[in-house]
Amino acid sequence: MRLKLLSPGEMNESQRQTYDESIAGKRGKPPPPMMAWLNSPEMARHATRLGEVMRFDTIFPAKLSEIAILVTARHWTAHYEWYAHKRLALAGGMKPEIIDAIRDRRTPDFEDAKAKMIYDLAKSLHEGHGVEKGLYDDAVKLLGERGVVEVIGLCGYYTLVSMTLNTFEFGLPEGEVSELA
């Protein structure tokens, strides 16, 4: 870990307010990257609020939103993010074969058209730096404009998370080994 994470007793007033707000939110605890973001308390406050929306308040159930998150974690080879969201994806009902394919950089076999579309959008955003017209039109038909916006939000927010975790070298919990090469 490249950064000393502050304990609540070491935080200034602004940092402590942001920390306390995160505990009072839907997570019930601060997300790990927020502990690094607290070095910029206002950024931490806004990023954590956005993260709560992306995690809990999109139109997608967990087994769909976690597709975009796992594609993002894999794109960035974000070990901690992969570790955390693989568990959430499984708990949300995602099939292990889909997770394994994303981990191995293979296109999963999707039974659900929305799941495939979220995967295709996330891959296009990360690898193509945008979405070509045909894919965009199909995505709007299937997911609606809100759905497309929220997939972009998931990929963008979890890119920020992945970059933070990677830059500051957040480690996995004791005894855990990364699945990502």
Side-chain angles (χ1 to χ4, degrees), residues 141-177:
K141 284 180 193 167
L142 187 59
L143 305 175
E145 289 176 339
R146 177 178 173 177
V148 172
V149 167
E150 289 181 352
V151 171
I152 294 166
L154 285 162
C155 291
Y157 173 74
Y158 285 98
T159 289
L160 172 62
V161 168
S162 295
M163 292 171 86
T164 300
L165 297 172
N166 284 355
T167 297
F168 296 112
E169 297 180 347
F170 276 69
L172 296 178
E174 186 74 32
E176 296 293 334
V177 177

PDB file of all heavy atoms in Angstrom, residues 141-177:
ATOM      1  N   LYS A 141     -32.440   0.806 -28.152  1.00  0.00           N
ATOM      2  CA  LYS A 141     -33.667   0.018 -28.341  1.00  0.00           C
ATOM      3  C   LYS A 141     -33.860  -0.979 -27.200  1.00  0.00           C
ATOM      4  O   LYS A 141     -34.972  -1.188 -26.728  1.00  0.00           O
ATOM      5  CB  LYS A 141     -33.622  -0.741 -29.674  1.00  0.00           C
ATOM      6  CG  LYS A 141     -33.877   0.116 -30.874  1.00  0.00           C
ATOM      7  CD  LYS A 141     -33.803  -0.720 -32.143  1.00  0.00           C
ATOM      8  CE  LYS A 141     -33.745   0.182 -33.353  1.00  0.00           C
ATOM      9  NZ  LYS A 141     -33.373  -0.541 -34.573  1.00  0.00           N
ATOM     10  N   LEU A 142     -32.788  -1.611 -26.778  1.00  0.00           N
ATOM     11  CA  LEU A 142     -32.887  -2.678 -25.780  1.00  0.00           C
ATOM     12  C   LEU A 142     -32.861  -2.161 -24.337  1.00  0.00           C
ATOM     13  O   LEU A 142     -33.618  -2.626 -23.486  1.00  0.00           O
ATOM     14  CB  LEU A 142     -31.752  -3.698 -25.985  1.00  0.00           C
ATOM     15  CG  LEU A 142     -31.797  -4.952 -25.145  1.00  0.00           C
ATOM     16  CD1 LEU A 142     -33.086  -5.743 -25.392  1.00  0.00           C
ATOM     17  CD2 LEU A 142     -30.588  -5.821 -25.450  1.00  0.00           C
ATOM     18  N   LEU A 143     -31.991  -1.201 -24.065  1.00  0.00           N
ATOM     19  CA  LEU A 143     -31.785  -0.740 -22.687  1.00  0.00           C
ATOM     20  C   LEU A 143     -32.430   0.610 -22.404  1.00  0.00           C
ATOM     21  O   LEU A 143     -32.552   0.990 -21.235  1.00  0.00           O
ATOM     22  CB  LEU A 143     -30.283  -0.630 -22.381  1.00  0.00           C
ATOM     23  CG  LEU A 143     -29.432  -1.864 -22.596  1.00  0.00           C
ATOM     24  CD1 LEU A 143     -27.961  -1.545 -22.355  1.00  0.00           C
ATOM     25  CD2 LEU A 143     -29.893  -3.011 -21.710  1.00  0.00           C
ATOM     26  N   GLY A 144     -32.788   1.334 -23.454  1.00  0.00           N
ATOM     27  CA  GLY A 144     -33.283   2.695 -23.300  1.00  0.00           C
ATOM     28  C   GLY A 144     -32.129   3.657 -23.101  1.00  0.00           C
ATOM     29  O   GLY A 144     -30.997   3.252 -22.819  1.00  0.00           O
ATOM     30  N   GLU A 145     -32.415   4.933 -23.250  1.00  0.00           N
ATOM     31  CA  GLU A 145     -31.357   5.934 -23.092  1.00  0.00           C
ATOM     32  C   GLU A 145     -30.817   5.937 -21.668  1.00  0.00           C
ATOM     33  O   GLU A 145     -29.614   6.065 -21.453  1.00  0.00           O
ATOM     34  CB  GLU A 145     -31.868   7.315 -23.489  1.00  0.00           C
ATOM     35  CG  GLU A 145     -32.067   7.436 -24.984  1.00  0.00           C
ATOM     36  CD  GLU A 145     -32.665   8.749 -25.419  1.00  0.00           C
ATOM     37  OE1 GLU A 145     -33.307   9.447 -24.596  1.00  0.00           O
ATOM     38  OE2 GLU A 145     -32.497   9.089 -26.610  1.00  0.00           O
ATOM     39  N   ARG A 146     -31.711   5.778 -20.687  1.00  0.00           N
ATOM     40  CA  ARG A 146     -31.239   5.736 -19.305  1.00  0.00           C
ATOM     41  C   ARG A 146     -30.286   4.561 -19.104  1.00  0.00           C
ATOM     42  O   ARG A 146     -29.244   4.694 -18.451  1.00  0.00           O
ATOM     43  CB  ARG A 146     -32.412   5.638 -18.336  1.00  0.00           C
ATOM     44  CG  ARG A 146     -31.939   5.525 -16.898  1.00  0.00           C
ATOM     45  CD  ARG A 146     -33.052   5.462 -15.892  1.00  0.00           C
ATOM     46  NE  ARG A 146     -32.511   5.189 -14.554  1.00  0.00           N
ATOM     47  CZ  ARG A 146     -33.234   5.143 -13.471  1.00  0.00           C
ATOM     48  NH1 ARG A 146     -34.543   5.368 -13.524  1.00  0.00           N
ATOM     49  NH2 ARG A 146     -32.662   4.873 -12.314  1.00  0.00           N
ATOM     50  N   GLY A 147     -30.614   3.419 -19.651  1.00  0.00           N
ATOM     51  CA  GLY A 147     -29.744   2.254 -19.515  1.00  0.00           C
ATOM     52  C   GLY A 147     -28.370   2.490 -20.110  1.00  0.00           C
ATOM     53  O   GLY A 147     -27.351   2.121 -19.517  1.00  0.00           O
ATOM     54  N   VAL A 148     -28.318   3.109 -21.282  1.00  0.00           N
ATOM     55  CA  VAL A 148     -27.026   3.402 -21.913  1.00  0.00           C
ATOM     56  C   VAL A 148     -26.232   4.367 -21.038  1.00  0.00           C
ATOM     57  O   VAL A 148     -25.036   4.156 -20.786  1.00  0.00           O
ATOM     58  CB  VAL A 148     -27.215   3.955 -23.342  1.00  0.00           C
ATOM     59  CG1 VAL A 148     -25.895   4.439 -23.935  1.00  0.00           C
ATOM     60  CG2 VAL A 148     -27.850   2.899 -24.249  1.00  0.00           C
ATOM     61  N   VAL A 149     -26.900   5.409 -20.545  1.00  0.00           N
ATOM     62  CA  VAL A 149     -26.227   6.372 -19.669  1.00  0.00           C
ATOM     63  C   VAL A 149     -25.685   5.662 -18.426  1.00  0.00           C
ATOM     64  O   VAL A 149     -24.564   5.920 -17.986  1.00  0.00           O
ATOM     65  CB  VAL A 149     -27.179   7.529 -19.286  1.00  0.00           C
ATOM     66  CG1 VAL A 149     -26.627   8.357 -18.135  1.00  0.00           C
ATOM     67  CG2 VAL A 149     -27.444   8.409 -20.495  1.00  0.00           C
ATOM     68  N   GLU A 150     -26.466   4.762 -17.864  1.00  0.00           N
ATOM     69  CA  GLU A 150     -26.033   4.089 -16.637  1.00  0.00           C
ATOM     70  C   GLU A 150     -24.899   3.098 -16.879  1.00  0.00           C
ATOM     71  O   GLU A 150     -24.034   2.938 -16.017  1.00  0.00           O
ATOM     72  CB  GLU A 150     -27.226   3.463 -15.925  1.00  0.00           C
ATOM     73  CG  GLU A 150     -28.117   4.557 -15.322  1.00  0.00           C
ATOM     74  CD  GLU A 150     -29.323   4.063 -14.564  1.00  0.00           C
ATOM     75  OE1 GLU A 150     -29.626   2.842 -14.586  1.00  0.00           O
ATOM     76  OE2 GLU A 150     -29.987   4.904 -13.926  1.00  0.00           O
ATOM     77  N   VAL A 151     -24.854   2.453 -18.037  1.00  0.00           N
ATOM     78  CA  VAL A 151     -23.703   1.592 -18.350  1.00  0.00           C
ATOM     79  C   VAL A 151     -22.446   2.458 -18.460  1.00  0.00           C
ATOM     80  O   VAL A 151     -21.383   2.092 -17.930  1.00  0.00           O
ATOM     81  CB  VAL A 151     -23.928   0.771 -19.642  1.00  0.00           C
ATOM     82  CG1 VAL A 151     -22.646   0.056 -20.068  1.00  0.00           C
ATOM     83  CG2 VAL A 151     -25.051  -0.254 -19.437  1.00  0.00           C
ATOM     84  N   ILE A 152     -22.569   3.618 -19.114  1.00  0.00           N
ATOM     85  CA  ILE A 152     -21.427   4.537 -19.187  1.00  0.00           C
ATOM     86  C   ILE A 152     -21.018   4.949 -17.776  1.00  0.00           C
ATOM     87  O   ILE A 152     -19.828   4.969 -17.439  1.00  0.00           O
ATOM     88  CB  ILE A 152     -21.773   5.768 -20.044  1.00  0.00           C
ATOM     89  CG1 ILE A 152     -21.995   5.360 -21.504  1.00  0.00           C
ATOM     90  CG2 ILE A 152     -20.673   6.836 -19.941  1.00  0.00           C
ATOM     91  CD1 ILE A 152     -22.652   6.437 -22.355  1.00  0.00           C
ATOM     92  N   GLY A 153     -21.993   5.258 -16.925  1.00  0.00           N
ATOM     93  CA  GLY A 153     -21.698   5.642 -15.547  1.00  0.00           C
ATOM     94  C   GLY A 153     -21.007   4.544 -14.771  1.00  0.00           C
ATOM     95  O   GLY A 153     -20.053   4.801 -14.022  1.00  0.00           O
ATOM     96  N   LEU A 154     -21.466   3.305 -14.939  1.00  0.00           N
ATOM     97  CA  LEU A 154     -20.826   2.167 -14.264  1.00  0.00           C
ATOM     98  C   LEU A 154     -19.373   2.024 -14.709  1.00  0.00           C
ATOM     99  O   LEU A 154     -18.468   1.889 -13.880  1.00  0.00           O
ATOM    100  CB  LEU A 154     -21.600   0.877 -14.540  1.00  0.00           C
ATOM    101  CG  LEU A 154     -22.919   0.719 -13.794  1.00  0.00           C
ATOM    102  CD1 LEU A 154     -23.794  -0.339 -14.463  1.00  0.00           C
ATOM    103  CD2 LEU A 154     -22.670   0.369 -12.331  1.00  0.00           C
ATOM    104  N   CYS A 155     -19.159   2.068 -16.017  1.00  0.00           N
ATOM    105  CA  CYS A 155     -17.785   1.924 -16.528  1.00  0.00           C
ATOM    106  C   CYS A 155     -16.910   3.093 -16.079  1.00  0.00           C
ATOM    107  O   CYS A 155     -15.751   2.889 -15.696  1.00  0.00           O
ATOM    108  CB  CYS A 155     -17.795   1.810 -18.043  1.00  0.00           C
ATOM    109  SG  CYS A 155     -18.507   0.264 -18.659  1.00  0.00           S
ATOM    110  N   GLY A 156     -17.445   4.296 -16.107  1.00  0.00           N
ATOM    111  CA  GLY A 156     -16.667   5.457 -15.711  1.00  0.00           C
ATOM    112  C   GLY A 156     -16.344   5.475 -14.233  1.00  0.00           C
ATOM    113  O   GLY A 156     -15.189   5.676 -13.835  1.00  0.00           O
ATOM    114  N   TYR A 157     -17.350   5.243 -13.404  1.00  0.00           N
ATOM    115  CA  TYR A 157     -17.105   5.262 -11.963  1.00  0.00           C
ATOM    116  C   TYR A 157     -16.130   4.156 -11.566  1.00  0.00           C
ATOM    117  O   TYR A 157     -15.187   4.387 -10.809  1.00  0.00           O
ATOM    118  CB  TYR A 157     -18.417   5.116 -11.172  1.00  0.00           C
ATOM    119  CG  TYR A 157     -18.155   4.963  -9.699  1.00  0.00           C
ATOM    120  CD1 TYR A 157     -17.766   6.055  -8.928  1.00  0.00           C
ATOM    121  CD2 TYR A 157     -18.232   3.717  -9.090  1.00  0.00           C
ATOM    122  CE1 TYR A 157     -17.478   5.916  -7.576  1.00  0.00           C
ATOM    123  CE2 TYR A 157     -17.944   3.566  -7.739  1.00  0.00           C
ATOM    124  CZ  TYR A 157     -17.568   4.662  -6.990  1.00  0.00           C
ATOM    125  OH  TYR A 157     -17.265   4.513  -5.657  1.00  0.00           O
ATOM    126  N   TYR A 158     -16.344   2.948 -12.081  1.00  0.00           N
ATOM    127  CA  TYR A 158     -15.467   1.846 -11.687  1.00  0.00           C
ATOM    128  C   TYR A 158     -14.086   1.935 -12.344  1.00  0.00           C
ATOM    129  O   TYR A 158     -13.147   1.295 -11.874  1.00  0.00           O
ATOM    130  CB  TYR A 158     -16.165   0.492 -11.868  1.00  0.00           C
ATOM    131  CG  TYR A 158     -17.164   0.307 -10.753  1.00  0.00           C
ATOM    132  CD1 TYR A 158     -18.514   0.582 -10.926  1.00  0.00           C
ATOM    133  CD2 TYR A 158     -16.739  -0.065  -9.481  1.00  0.00           C
ATOM    134  CE1 TYR A 158     -19.418   0.461  -9.876  1.00  0.00           C
ATOM    135  CE2 TYR A 158     -17.632  -0.184  -8.423  1.00  0.00           C
ATOM    136  CZ  TYR A 158     -18.964   0.081  -8.632  1.00  0.00           C
ATOM    137  OH  TYR A 158     -19.842  -0.031  -7.570  1.00  0.00           O
ATOM    138  N   THR A 159     -13.935   2.762 -13.384  1.00  0.00           N
ATOM    139  CA  THR A 159     -12.595   3.090 -13.874  1.00  0.00           C
ATOM    140  C   THR A 159     -11.880   3.940 -12.827  1.00  0.00           C
ATOM    141  O   THR A 159     -10.714   3.681 -12.501  1.00  0.00           O
ATOM    142  CB  THR A 159     -12.664   3.810 -15.232  1.00  0.00           C
ATOM    143  OG1 THR A 159     -13.072   2.862 -16.224  1.00  0.00           O
ATOM    144  CG2 THR A 159     -11.328   4.410 -15.626  1.00  0.00           C
ATOM    145  N   LEU A 160     -12.565   4.936 -12.279  1.00  0.00           N
ATOM    146  CA  LEU A 160     -11.992   5.748 -11.209  1.00  0.00           C
ATOM    147  C   LEU A 160     -11.603   4.867 -10.021  1.00  0.00           C
ATOM    148  O   LEU A 160     -10.503   4.990  -9.482  1.00  0.00           O
ATOM    149  CB  LEU A 160     -12.992   6.823 -10.763  1.00  0.00           C
ATOM    150  CG  LEU A 160     -12.625   7.636  -9.522  1.00  0.00           C
ATOM    151  CD1 LEU A 160     -11.340   8.430  -9.736  1.00  0.00           C
ATOM    152  CD2 LEU A 160     -13.785   8.556  -9.149  1.00  0.00           C
ATOM    153  N   VAL A 161     -12.475   3.957  -9.648  1.00  0.00           N
ATOM    154  CA  VAL A 161     -12.191   3.042  -8.542  1.00  0.00           C
ATOM    155  C   VAL A 161     -10.969   2.187  -8.863  1.00  0.00           C
ATOM    156  O   VAL A 161     -10.037   2.076  -8.057  1.00  0.00           O
ATOM    157  CB  VAL A 161     -13.415   2.149  -8.236  1.00  0.00           C
ATOM    158  CG1 VAL A 161     -13.051   1.005  -7.296  1.00  0.00           C
ATOM    159  CG2 VAL A 161     -14.553   2.980  -7.661  1.00  0.00           C
ATOM    160  N   SER A 162     -10.949   1.597 -10.052  1.00  0.00           N
ATOM    161  CA  SER A 162      -9.842   0.722 -10.434  1.00  0.00           C
ATOM    162  C   SER A 162      -8.518   1.465 -10.482  1.00  0.00           C
ATOM    163  O   SER A 162      -7.484   0.959 -10.015  1.00  0.00           O
ATOM    164  CB  SER A 162     -10.129   0.079 -11.800  1.00  0.00           C
ATOM    165  OG  SER A 162     -11.247  -0.781 -11.721  1.00  0.00           O
ATOM    166  N   MET A 163      -8.534   2.669 -11.031  1.00  0.00           N
ATOM    167  CA  MET A 163      -7.309   3.463 -11.097  1.00  0.00           C
ATOM    168  C   MET A 163      -6.809   3.805  -9.691  1.00  0.00           C
ATOM    169  O   MET A 163      -5.606   3.765  -9.427  1.00  0.00           O
ATOM    170  CB  MET A 163      -7.543   4.731 -11.909  1.00  0.00           C
ATOM    171  CG  MET A 163      -7.790   4.453 -13.387  1.00  0.00           C
ATOM    172  SD  MET A 163      -8.321   5.921 -14.281  1.00  0.00           S
ATOM    173  CE  MET A 163      -6.733   6.613 -14.692  1.00  0.00           C
ATOM    174  N   THR A 164      -7.726   4.124  -8.797  1.00  0.00           N
ATOM    175  CA  THR A 164      -7.357   4.444  -7.413  1.00  0.00           C
ATOM    176  C   THR A 164      -6.750   3.227  -6.730  1.00  0.00           C
ATOM    177  O   THR A 164      -5.674   3.304  -6.125  1.00  0.00           O
ATOM    178  CB  THR A 164      -8.591   4.935  -6.626  1.00  0.00           C
ATOM    179  OG1 THR A 164      -9.114   6.112  -7.256  1.00  0.00           O
ATOM    180  CG2 THR A 164      -8.242   5.237  -5.183  1.00  0.00           C
ATOM    181  N   LEU A 165      -7.433   2.093  -6.827  1.00  0.00           N
ATOM    182  CA  LEU A 165      -6.960   0.883  -6.160  1.00  0.00           C
ATOM    183  C   LEU A 165      -5.608   0.442  -6.719  1.00  0.00           C
ATOM    184  O   LEU A 165      -4.724   0.025  -5.958  1.00  0.00           O
ATOM    185  CB  LEU A 165      -7.998  -0.232  -6.300  1.00  0.00           C
ATOM    186  CG  LEU A 165      -9.352   0.048  -5.636  1.00  0.00           C
ATOM    187  CD1 LEU A 165     -10.357  -1.047  -6.012  1.00  0.00           C
ATOM    188  CD2 LEU A 165      -9.231   0.167  -4.123  1.00  0.00           C
ATOM    189  N   ASN A 166      -5.442   0.547  -8.033  1.00  0.00           N
ATOM    190  CA  ASN A 166      -4.175   0.158  -8.650  1.00  0.00           C
ATOM    191  C   ASN A 166      -3.046   1.116  -8.299  1.00  0.00           C
ATOM    192  O   ASN A 166      -1.931   0.692  -7.981  1.00  0.00           O
ATOM    193  CB  ASN A 166      -4.319   0.074 -10.172  1.00  0.00           C
ATOM    194  CG  ASN A 166      -5.042  -1.173 -10.634  1.00  0.00           C
ATOM    195  OD1 ASN A 166      -5.382  -2.052  -9.851  1.00  0.00           O
ATOM    196  ND2 ASN A 166      -5.311  -1.240 -11.921  1.00  0.00           N
ATOM    197  N   THR A 167      -3.315   2.409  -8.361  1.00  0.00           N
ATOM    198  CA  THR A 167      -2.265   3.395  -8.111  1.00  0.00           C
ATOM    199  C   THR A 167      -1.731   3.299  -6.689  1.00  0.00           C
ATOM    200  O   THR A 167      -0.516   3.347  -6.469  1.00  0.00           O
ATOM    201  CB  THR A 167      -2.789   4.826  -8.379  1.00  0.00           C
ATOM    202  OG1 THR A 167      -3.144   4.908  -9.767  1.00  0.00           O
ATOM    203  CG2 THR A 167      -1.735   5.871  -8.058  1.00  0.00           C
ATOM    204  N   PHE A 168      -2.630   3.139  -5.737  1.00  0.00           N
ATOM    205  CA  PHE A 168      -2.204   3.096  -4.345  1.00  0.00           C
ATOM    206  C   PHE A 168      -1.935   1.672  -3.855  1.00  0.00           C
ATOM    207  O   PHE A 168      -1.636   1.461  -2.691  1.00  0.00           O
ATOM    208  CB  PHE A 168      -3.213   3.820  -3.454  1.00  0.00           C
ATOM    209  CG  PHE A 168      -3.297   5.283  -3.783  1.00  0.00           C
ATOM    210  CD1 PHE A 168      -4.440   5.812  -4.338  1.00  0.00           C
ATOM    211  CD2 PHE A 168      -2.209   6.130  -3.579  1.00  0.00           C
ATOM    212  CE1 PHE A 168      -4.515   7.171  -4.663  1.00  0.00           C
ATOM    213  CE2 PHE A 168      -2.265   7.474  -3.905  1.00  0.00           C
ATOM    214  CZ  PHE A 168      -3.429   7.990  -4.449  1.00  0.00           C
ATOM    215  N   GLU A 169      -2.026   0.712  -4.775  1.00  0.00           N
ATOM    216  CA  GLU A 169      -1.699  -0.698  -4.503  1.00  0.00           C
ATOM    217  C   GLU A 169      -2.452  -1.260  -3.298  1.00  0.00           C
ATOM    218  O   GLU A 169      -1.866  -1.817  -2.375  1.00  0.00           O
ATOM    219  CB  GLU A 169      -0.185  -0.865  -4.341  1.00  0.00           C
ATOM    220  CG  GLU A 169       0.569  -0.512  -5.604  1.00  0.00           C
ATOM    221  CD  GLU A 169       2.080  -0.655  -5.486  1.00  0.00           C
ATOM    222  OE1 GLU A 169       2.616  -0.799  -4.358  1.00  0.00           O
ATOM    223  OE2 GLU A 169       2.737  -0.619  -6.541  1.00  0.00           O
ATOM    224  N   PHE A 170      -3.776  -1.120  -3.355  1.00  0.00           N
ATOM    225  CA  PHE A 170      -4.609  -1.748  -2.331  1.00  0.00           C
ATOM    226  C   PHE A 170      -4.428  -3.255  -2.431  1.00  0.00           C
ATOM    227  O   PHE A 170      -4.548  -3.823  -3.520  1.00  0.00           O
ATOM    228  CB  PHE A 170      -6.085  -1.408  -2.560  1.00  0.00           C
ATOM    229  CG  PHE A 170      -6.518  -0.089  -1.987  1.00  0.00           C
ATOM    230  CD1 PHE A 170      -6.071   1.108  -2.526  1.00  0.00           C
ATOM    231  CD2 PHE A 170      -7.386  -0.046  -0.904  1.00  0.00           C
ATOM    232  CE1 PHE A 170      -6.483   2.322  -2.005  1.00  0.00           C
ATOM    233  CE2 PHE A 170      -7.801   1.164  -0.377  1.00  0.00           C
ATOM    234  CZ  PHE A 170      -7.349   2.349  -0.923  1.00  0.00           C
ATOM    235  N   GLY A 171      -4.142  -3.880  -1.331  1.00  0.00           N
ATOM    236  CA  GLY A 171      -3.954  -5.327  -1.322  1.00  0.00           C
ATOM    237  C   GLY A 171      -5.253  -6.073  -1.084  1.00  0.00           C
ATOM    238  O   GLY A 171      -6.246  -5.506  -0.632  1.00  0.00           O
ATOM    239  N   LEU A 172      -5.201  -7.339  -1.399  1.00  0.00           N
ATOM    240  CA  LEU A 172      -6.354  -8.205  -1.119  1.00  0.00           C
ATOM    241  C   LEU A 172      -6.354  -8.567   0.362  1.00  0.00           C
ATOM    242  O   LEU A 172      -5.314  -8.493   1.028  1.00  0.00           O
ATOM    243  CB  LEU A 172      -6.256  -9.482  -1.960  1.00  0.00           C
ATOM    244  CG  LEU A 172      -6.326  -9.290  -3.472  1.00  0.00           C
ATOM    245  CD1 LEU A 172      -6.175 -10.641  -4.167  1.00  0.00           C
ATOM    246  CD2 LEU A 172      -7.620  -8.622  -3.883  1.00  0.00           C
ATOM    247  N   PRO A 173      -7.496  -8.990   0.874  1.00  0.00           N
ATOM    248  CA  PRO A 173      -7.527  -9.437   2.268  1.00  0.00           C
ATOM    249  C   PRO A 173      -6.535 -10.572   2.509  1.00  0.00           C
ATOM    250  O   PRO A 173      -6.191 -11.330   1.584  1.00  0.00           O
ATOM    251  CB  PRO A 173      -8.968  -9.914   2.448  1.00  0.00           C
ATOM    252  CG  PRO A 173      -9.748  -9.159   1.417  1.00  0.00           C
ATOM    253  CD  PRO A 173      -8.810  -9.020   0.249  1.00  0.00           C
ATOM    254  N   GLU A 174      -6.094 -10.674   3.729  1.00  0.00           N
ATOM    255  CA  GLU A 174      -5.132 -11.708   4.139  1.00  0.00           C
ATOM    256  C   GLU A 174      -5.574 -13.081   3.643  1.00  0.00           C
ATOM    257  O   GLU A 174      -6.717 -13.482   3.802  1.00  0.00           O
ATOM    258  CB  GLU A 174      -5.024 -11.714   5.669  1.00  0.00           C
ATOM    259  CG  GLU A 174      -3.964 -12.644   6.208  1.00  0.00           C
ATOM    260  CD  GLU A 174      -2.551 -12.114   5.998  1.00  0.00           C
ATOM    261  OE1 GLU A 174      -2.376 -10.886   6.010  1.00  0.00           O
ATOM    262  OE2 GLU A 174      -1.661 -12.943   5.816  1.00  0.00           O
ATOM    263  N   GLY A 175      -4.664 -13.782   2.988  1.00  0.00           N
ATOM    264  CA  GLY A 175      -4.926 -15.137   2.526  1.00  0.00           C
ATOM    265  C   GLY A 175      -5.565 -15.228   1.143  1.00  0.00           C
ATOM    266  O   GLY A 175      -5.691 -16.318   0.589  1.00  0.00           O
ATOM    267  N   GLU A 176      -5.974 -14.103   0.567  1.00  0.00           N
ATOM    268  CA  GLU A 176      -6.596 -14.109  -0.769  1.00  0.00           C
ATOM    269  C   GLU A 176      -5.519 -13.937  -1.827  1.00  0.00           C
ATOM    270  O   GLU A 176      -4.547 -13.201  -1.630  1.00  0.00           O
ATOM    271  CB  GLU A 176      -7.642 -13.004  -0.882  1.00  0.00           C
ATOM    272  CG  GLU A 176      -8.827 -13.166   0.045  1.00  0.00           C
ATOM    273  CD  GLU A 176      -9.687 -14.368  -0.301  1.00  0.00           C
ATOM    274  OE1 GLU A 176      -9.705 -14.809  -1.468  1.00  0.00           O
ATOM    275  OE2 GLU A 176     -10.351 -14.884   0.621  1.00  0.00           O
ATOM    276  N   VAL A 177      -5.717 -14.590  -2.971  1.00  0.00           N
ATOM    277  CA  VAL A 177      -4.790 -14.504  -4.088  1.00  0.00           C
ATOM    278  C   VAL A 177      -5.575 -14.033  -5.310  1.00  0.00           C
ATOM    279  O   VAL A 177      -6.686 -14.514  -5.562  1.00  0.00           O
ATOM    280  CB  VAL A 177      -4.154 -15.889  -4.377  1.00  0.00           C
ATOM    281  CG1 VAL A 177      -3.234 -15.834  -5.583  1.00  0.00           C
ATOM    282  CG2 VAL A 177      -3.405 -16.385  -3.152  1.00  0.00           C
TER     283      VAL A 177
END
